[in-house]
Amino acid sequence: MFSKILIANRGEIACRVIHTARRLGIRTVAVYSDADRDALHVTLADEAVHIGPAVASESYLSKQKIIAAAQRTGAEAIHPGYGFLSENADFAEALEAAGLVFVGPSPASIRAMGLKDAAKALMERAGVPIVPGYHGDAQEPGFLAEQADGIGFPVLIKARAGGGGKGMRRVDRREDFAASLEAARREAKSAFGDDAVLIEKYLIKPRHIEIQVFGDSYGNAVHLFERDCSLQRRHQKVIEEAPAPGMTEEMRSAMGEAAVRAARAIDYRGAGTVEFIADVSDGLSPDRFFFMEMNTRLQVEHPVTEAIAGVDLVEWQLRVASGEPLPKSQDELAINGWAFEARIYAEDPSRGFLPATGTLAHLRFPEGDVRIDAGVREGDTITPHYDPLIAKLTVHAPDRQSALAKLTRGLEQTQVAGTTTNLDFLIRLSRQPDFAAGHPDTGLIDRDVEALTSARQPDDGALAVAAVAEAGGFAGATGGDPWLSLGPWQLWGEANRPVTLHYDRGQTHCRVTVKGRALFSVALGDRSIPLRLLAGDRKARRIEIDGRQSNVTVFEASNGTTLFMDGQTHHFHRHDPLDGGEEASAGGDRLIAPMPGLVKIIRVREGDVVAKGQALIVMEAMKMELTLTAMRDGIVESLNVGEGDQTSESAVLLSLRPEDAT
């Protein structure tokens, strides 16, 4: 076994590898960019080496800097995690040349599966079923359009390199193909340096089921069962589970054997995932699943496999890379219970899952039998430089129903303030009827997107608590005088204060009146809500509203108050009288940058006439392309940015004037 390893990654996966290495007595070396100098993975490692600026191409993607860091610190092996250089055959080859061990497959295996078109051809020869489509080298747009016609719409345009949903577009109509192809190629070129694509038949009701495989240097290969990753938005996974609901032993055996054949076909060593798409229009069937791709690395969702198989896949990686045989044979592996993983992101589902930034001013995870894989802690900042993952929450229980209930409860107990998150979306998704019944498919989120993502308005109870907090009642209830907390001394009558609460897409005017110590009445229009503060402190309290008790946590910051109550998060912001508001900016004459990013394409010039909804500017932020459209009909009056410019959040990119303005 190694005595010291370097982890060529950051965030959650770097922390994950460090935890296993510590348990095995292996010293760890972290690497970090300027943006990650104080990051959690840097703090947890035994040593850390600075490797460059925030931009990944000059730090986490720099092979030379990472190899130099390993040599400088005496590391024997490098664990690549996932993303960045984890599937880079040239990097694995460079490590071998430098006398370092790559904790992963051989360069030849990575290359065999690195390009999806070549991988599909190889799998077809190995007897693994593949999705109908075009996987050739010819890339002329007109030719690809002809291939799509021949396959039949809908089709999926898919970058042949990389993964994570980038360079991927579903096309339902022939007339949309050219624009979708251009966007997919542009995104693929930016993410992977390769704009070649393949065209596949898009299955109307598919499920994404993948098999975890593992091989060693002695010709042994096993599978560790399946994961269902069908719940996706923008082709990126959201909630994963293992095993797959409805899976029969016959189909599990067929998929497992196909995955092992795939691994053996490329003499695979280490952890890998063979991804299949299953046509479930008539239920799961062993003759209707198709190879999509093989990820030659550890997967983000590996904790659900660890939970049901009772293994530590990172430990297996380190043992196999150090020359040991597989710890278990196929006969020694068995499924125990059910597991779910949910990915908690800094993003806004109500705005098309737009990535978010911000400082994690308040961060609390559930206690007890819930696994949290996080690369951040309270006080850390989500920056625009990297993936906005906050944490992965994994649960395990004897059966699916129990595990799903545990997942929902764990999400409800998670508290994040300081940035927008997808927590409410995840909670709603965990309760979605088709998913709860064990019938997921890759189109489920899109079909139910409005119900899953629409901004939830606070109910009367949340408004009452927020009003008391804003009026200072929580401070008065912790030892001060609630009368003084609500205003100056008065000779007679009950102390009261008007409060206006501002929240997403609305505001509420109310009045808070002190009825006694820790007892208040909140007037909301013609309704009067009694609220009593019970045990607790200024932040976390037991409350009673109209005779019903519950727990509430209130986090107050300079820009507003975040309320965690009944498994929901509500944010109330403080109104700036100098701010013209969203209507005066993004909804009126000015196109506003929704977050920091790079201006990739400008599709208009000053003086152009544009129509509402027309694409104006394409930005890139957090590895994603965002197309910003015209907020109304008009004429481009001023263009404030150029292609290649970096822009800050809320920057005015473009201004319009009415067509009839002089």
Side-chain angles (χ1 to χ4, degrees), residues 82-403:
Y82 36 70
F84 293 134
L85 295 169
S86 62
E87 294 180 282
N88 189 302
D90 292 341
F91 179 57
E93 213 160 51
L95 293 185
E96 289 183 2
L100 297 164
V101 176
F102 179 70
V103 181
S106 68
S109 295
I110 296 173
R111 287 196 176 97
M113 289 298 172
L115 298 178
K116 296 182 179 67
D117 50 359
K120 288 177 186 291
L122 177 61
M123 290 300 98
E124 193 170 25
R125 292 194 298 271
V128 180
I130 66 170
V131 182
Y134 172 72
H135 311 117
D137 293 329
Q139 294 289 308
E140 195 274 323
F143 175 77
L144 292 176
E146 291 176 3
Q147 297 302 307
D149 279 337
I151 295 167
F153 291 90
V155 298
L156 190 66
I157 302 172
K158 199 172 184 180
R160 72 174 183 177
K166 297 173 184 64
M168 193 179 294
R169 294 291 188 278
R170 171 182 169 172
V171 188
D172 293 306
R173 306 182 308 161
R174 180 180 293 105
E175 50 266 43
D176 297 332
F177 184 83
S180 297
L181 176 63
E182 179 188 353
R185 279 183 155 170
R186 188 170 57 246
E187 198 170 77
K189 182 69 174 177
S190 174
F192 316 121
D194 184 346
D195 66 356
V197 300
L198 47 86
I199 314 295
E200 292 183 343
K201 179 66 179 174
Y202 185 87
L203 302 180
I204 298 300
K205 195 171 183 182
R207 276 173 61 182
H208 182 133
I209 300 175
E210 59 190 33
I211 303 290
Q212 176 73 60
V213 294
F214 226 106
D216 63 19
S217 301
Y218 305 96
N220 303 308
V222 299
H223 71 83
L224 291 94
F225 317 111
E226 79 277 1
R227 299 184 287 256
D228 194 305
C229 306
S230 299
L231 292 187
Q232 302 178 10
R233 47 96 177 124
R234 286 200 308 264
H235 306 293
Q236 294 190 1
K237 301 162 188 174
V238 178
I239 294 178
E240 303 96 352
E241 63 181 298
M247 177 66 71
T248 64
E249 284 303 323
E250 180 187 13
M251 187 167 182
R252 177 174 292 127
S253 176
M255 294 185 80
E257 290 172 6
V260 170
R261 280 202 306 275
R264 291 188 187 281
I266 57 172
D267 193 23
Y268 196 77
R269 180 189 70 228
T273 298
V274 182
E275 300 197 353
F276 295 100
I277 193 160
D279 179 359
V280 295
S281 52
D282 292 317
L284 286 174
S285 173
D287 62 352
R288 286 202 303 275
F289 70 89
F290 309 99
F291 173 86
M292 287 198 301
E293 60 185 332
M294 182 176 182
N295 291 301
T296 54
R297 54 170 168 78
L298 197 65
Q299 290 280 90
V300 178
E301 58 273 18
H302 75 273
V304 293
T305 294
E306 293 184 323
I308 66 163
V311 302
D312 182 332
L313 292 177
V314 174
E315 178 180 345
W316 278 36
Q317 285 186 296
L318 294 171
R319 291 194 180 282
V320 166
S322 68
E324 296 182 23
L326 286 177
K328 290 186 177 183
S329 66
Q330 193 69 62
D331 292 342
E332 295 175 299
L333 293 166
I335 294 175
N336 174 31
W338 214 284
F340 286 94
E341 176 189 284
R343 304 187 189 190
I344 302 170
Y345 278 100
E347 63 183 13
D348 190 346
S350 69
R351 299 174 66 193
F353 297 96
L354 186 71
T357 57
T359 298
L360 300 171
H362 174 84
L363 184 63
R364 297 288 185 276
F365 295 115
E367 298 178 353
D369 188 21
V370 175
R371 172 173 170 173
I372 299 295
D373 290 70
V376 293
R377 68 216 144 173
E378 188 170 282
D380 285 350
T381 298
I382 303 296
T383 74
H385 304 296
Y386 311 114
D387 188 88
L389 179 70
I390 295 173
K392 302 182 312 192
L393 187 152
T394 305
V395 297
H396 181 231
D399 55 70
R400 189 176 192 273
Q401 184 177 3
S402 301

Side-chain angles (χ1 to χ4, degrees), residues 463-475 512 538 554 556 561 563 574:
L463 290 170
V465 173
V468 171
E470 185 67 20
F474 274 60
V512 179
R538 182 171 181 171
V554 177
E556 297 180 80
T561 298
L563 184 69
R574 297 207 167 90

